[in-house]
Amino acid sequence: MDFNKVGKEAQEAINKCRDLSELEEISRRYLGRKGVVTSAFQKIAELSHQEKREQGRQLNQLRGKLEKEIEQKRQGLKDSFFQEKSERKIDISRPGKRFKAGHLHPLTQVVRRIEDIFQLMGFSVAEGPELETEYYNFDALNIPADHPARDIWDTFWVKGAKKGQKNLLRTHTSPNQVRYLEKNHPPLRIIVPGMCYRHEATDRTHGFQFMQVEGLMVDREVSLANFKAVVEKFCQMFFGPETEIRIIPDYFPFTEPSVEVSIRDKDGRWLEIMGAGLVHPNVFKSVGYRPYEWQGFAFGVGVERLAMIKYGLDDLRQFYQGDLRLIQQF
Ligand code: PHE
């Protein structure tokens, strides 16, 4: 065996080697149990005494040299690996990785905007249950059983806990007028956002599930003029300073007089956005107030309506389909 040649080959392989696994491969090839150098050791056993000494010395030298070279290379590769790694850690010039973050649903964004505007006008935000009792959804709002006014809202009835008790998915947020007046004393100004449900066939502008924001302001003297000022301010802050509103008569059992509010769109058409009116004396009675001591206005605004007008959408069902092509535009 030509020790010089083997030594040179090994040296070249070590020099060229670029990573640790390749280096271990080289180490195995020369110094492993069946490696070139190890087998050469086994072979010299058959040689004469003189040759054994001479070759043994050379082989030992070669093995020592390769062990040293490989160990040095190993150290070098390890160092540069860690160096590269730590350089990578602090390489602030690399472009950042954009991570995907979600955002609030457009309807939630609209509700938050509504809350912000009314809070600026001194209204607080309250909440109430989606599963209502017949009493709060109807009776306390001057809609007795068997009164035709109940037919205004088709209802999802749910069995109550007690026999004879009827619960329902609230058909509007108005029950919260009563709930709030029972627990708080006027003067007061609140809005109550929330999901409502009606048993109806859906179309572009009607869903069996939709959101409203209820409003209520009660004091010694509150008039429709106050209502008009508040709602006009709201519309102009929500849609823009040029927004025109129209108020015409309507009917609700729990307001007197009752009105409907519309805004004018860019094509000059009037679009209804809410029902409203002055709180009916019977509602005050049902919470134990003396009716003519207090006055108030109430309104219920459709959140999807506002969102559709603001964003130019023509089908409110799109808000509930979870289609990312729509959602991601907001
Ligand atoms: N609750 C009514 C509806 O759902 C709206 C409304 C609220 C009307 C408050 C008057 C006062 O249609």
Side-chain angles (χ1 to χ4, degrees):
M1 187 175 131
D2 184 340
F3 296 124
N4 274 339
K5 195 167 155 240
V6 172
K8 253 201 195 142
E9 272 170 17
Q11 187 64 58
E12 255 169 47
I14 293 167
N15 289 347
K16 270 201 266 169
C17 159
R18 286 276 157 265
D19 65 55
L20 281 169
S21 64
E22 195 185 338
L23 186 68
E24 298 317 328
E25 173 53 38
I26 295 168
S27 170
R28 225 174 297 128
R29 188 162 1 121
Y30 289 95
L31 306 174
R33 219 153 37 82
K34 292 185 182 154
V36 179
V37 176
T38 319
S39 341
F41 267 115
Q42 285 155 5
K43 276 199 198 113
I44 58 171
E46 298 150 18
L47 299 175
S48 70
H49 188 63
Q50 185 56 34
E51 279 172 326
K52 226 188 256 178
R53 263 186 68 175
E54 184 47 31
Q55 296 210 9
R57 193 180 56 78
Q58 289 190 30
L59 258 180
N60 267 326
Q61 246 180 20
L62 178 61
R63 180 170 64 182
K65 181 173 166 255
L66 291 184
E67 277 171 354
K68 216 171 98 194
E69 292 288 342
I70 286 175
E71 185 48 34
Q72 263 178 15
K73 182 77 179 184
R74 191 178 282 130
Q75 219 42 59
L77 284 175
K78 276 185 186 162
D79 287 351
S80 69
F81 174 74
F82 284 117
Q83 195 180 347
E84 218 178 90
K85 234 186 154 179
S86 63
E87 270 168 14
R88 231 185 274 150
K89 231 184 252 164
I90 56 159
D91 182 0
I92 56 170
S93 67
R94 281 169 80 95
K97 271 197 196 140
R98 183 185 288 274
F99 60 89
K100 271 194 190 155
H103 60 71
L104 294 175
H105 189 274
L107 290 180
T108 309
Q109 293 181 32
V110 166
V111 169
R112 298 244 171 132
R113 178 76 187 124
I114 296 171
E115 290 175 358
D116 286 348
I117 295 172
F118 278 104
Q119 279 173 325
L120 284 174
M121 293 194 271
F123 285 72
S124 333
V125 180
E127 276 192 333
E130 287 178 31
L131 183 66
E132 259 304 356
T133 63
E134 189 179 10
Y135 175 77
Y136 285 112
N137 199 82
F138 293 122
D139 300 85
L141 289 169
N142 198 32
I143 317 172
D146 306 325
H147 191 285
R150 285 220 178 178
D151 300 340
I152 300 177
W153 299 288
D154 294 313
T155 311
F156 289 110
W157 291 101
V158 178
K159 253 194 203 147
K162 287 185 211 127
K163 206 168 177 260
Q165 188 190 1
K166 278 160 93 186
N167 290 332
L168 63 146
L169 299 180
R170 65 180 173 200
T171 60
H172 51 178
T173 43
S174 298
N176 298 298
Q177 295 180 30
V178 180
R179 287 182 174 275
Y180 198 84
L181 287 172
E182 280 179 344
K183 296 217 173 78
N184 300 272
H185 205 70
L188 52 88
R189 269 176 279 182
I190 55 157
I191 55 166
V192 189
M195 201 59 84
C196 304
Y197 305 87
R198 289 182 198 174
H199 186 263
E200 40 191 337
T202 59
D203 61 25
R204 253 175 10 84
T205 52
H206 296 86
F208 53 81
Q209 173 187 339
F210 58 95
M211 285 174 111
Q212 282 189 339
V213 175
E214 191 78 7
L216 177 69
M217 172 169 176
V218 175
D219 207 331
R220 296 281 176 197
E221 284 181 29
V222 175
S223 71
L224 267 188
N226 299 131
F227 169 69
K228 185 182 173 219
V230 167
V231 78
E232 193 167 49
K233 187 80 194 160
F234 165 74
C235 288
Q236 290 174 350
M237 289 181 78
F238 188 83
F239 291 111
E242 307 300 326
T243 310
E244 279 179 85
I245 67 166
R246 181 188 70 174
I247 298 178
I248 59 170
D250 199 347
Y251 170 74
F252 298 101
F254 39 92
T255 45
E256 180 60 36
S258 302
V259 297
E260 163 194 312
V261 180
S262 306
I263 65 160
R264 201 206 282 273
D265 71 4
K266 52 184 185 318
D267 302 322
R269 282 173 311 190
W270 293 107
L271 306 171
E272 190 201 335
I273 57 166
M274 67 171 79
L278 294 187
V279 179
H280 196 288
N282 285 350
V283 175
F284 283 130
K285 268 193 220 158
S286 71
V287 289
Y289 294 12
R290 268 193 270 160
Y292 296 100
E293 255 178 47
W294 298 99
Q295 291 183 328
F297 67 71
F299 62 84
V301 56
V303 174
E304 289 82 359
R305 266 298 164 80
L306 294 189
M308 284 166 77
I309 298 169
K310 192 173 172 80
Y311 301 126
L313 265 125
D314 58 5
D315 191 335
L316 66 74
R317 290 169 293 192
Q318 291 177 299
F319 287 125
Y320 292 94
Q321 283 162 349
D323 188 336
L324 292 178
R325 286 172 302 179
L326 176 88
I327 303 295
Q328 283 171 346
Q329 292 179 47
F330 293 90

